[in-house]
Amino acid sequence: RPARQRLSFWPGLDRTPATFGVESTGTAALLGGDAATNAAILRAVLAGEKGPRRDIVLVNAAAAIRAGDDASDWKSAMERARASIDSGAARQKLEALIHFTNPKAA
């Protein structure tokens, strides 16, 4: 049975992985670790690594895009999220944030 998530900013609407065009997965495939491990996971996803971790990043980004009224439906929100990663724009934003918050780390 697919996981269901109730999104509070769309009351009464259940979403499943299929809503976003991704496969259902267990939590073990999404687990991170310490800060260095999590940073490496994020960098890998933003570098284009495919899999469940990328899927959950895309779903979260799509929800943010929809919440900001920047997409009229889930499909277009997912396309925008995917384009942000695939174009390198998301990775560039991460690098800019790192440089801004800790210039020595960049």
Side-chain angles (χ1 to χ4, degrees):
R1 174 175 139 101
R4 289 195 176 273
Q5 176 65 42
R6 186 169 301 281
L7 302 176
S8 61
F9 42 89
W10 287 285
L13 298 178
D14 287 336
R15 301 291 176 221
T16 66
T19 302
F20 305 98
V22 300
E23 293 184 25
S24 183
T25 188
T27 56
L30 303 174
L31 291 177
D34 61 16
T37 299
N38 294 340
I41 290 168
L42 179 58
R43 286 182 185 274
V45 166
L46 297 183
E49 183 177 284
K50 306 278 195 250
R53 289 175 172 155
R54 174 185 163 101
D55 291 347
I56 198 66
V57 167
L58 290 172
V59 168
N60 281 312
I65 290 166
R66 287 288 318 269
D69 288 331
D70 290 334
S72 60
D73 56 45
W74 289 110
K75 182 180 178 187
S76 60
M78 285 292 285
E79 288 170 358
R80 289 194 54 198
R82 193 173 291 109
S84 180
I85 291 176
D86 293 345
S87 70
R91 186 178 68 248
Q92 290 172 353
K93 287 294 183 184
L94 173 63
E95 296 303 327
L97 177 64
I98 291 169
H99 182 71
F100 178 75
T101 58
N102 186 5
K104 295 178 186 177

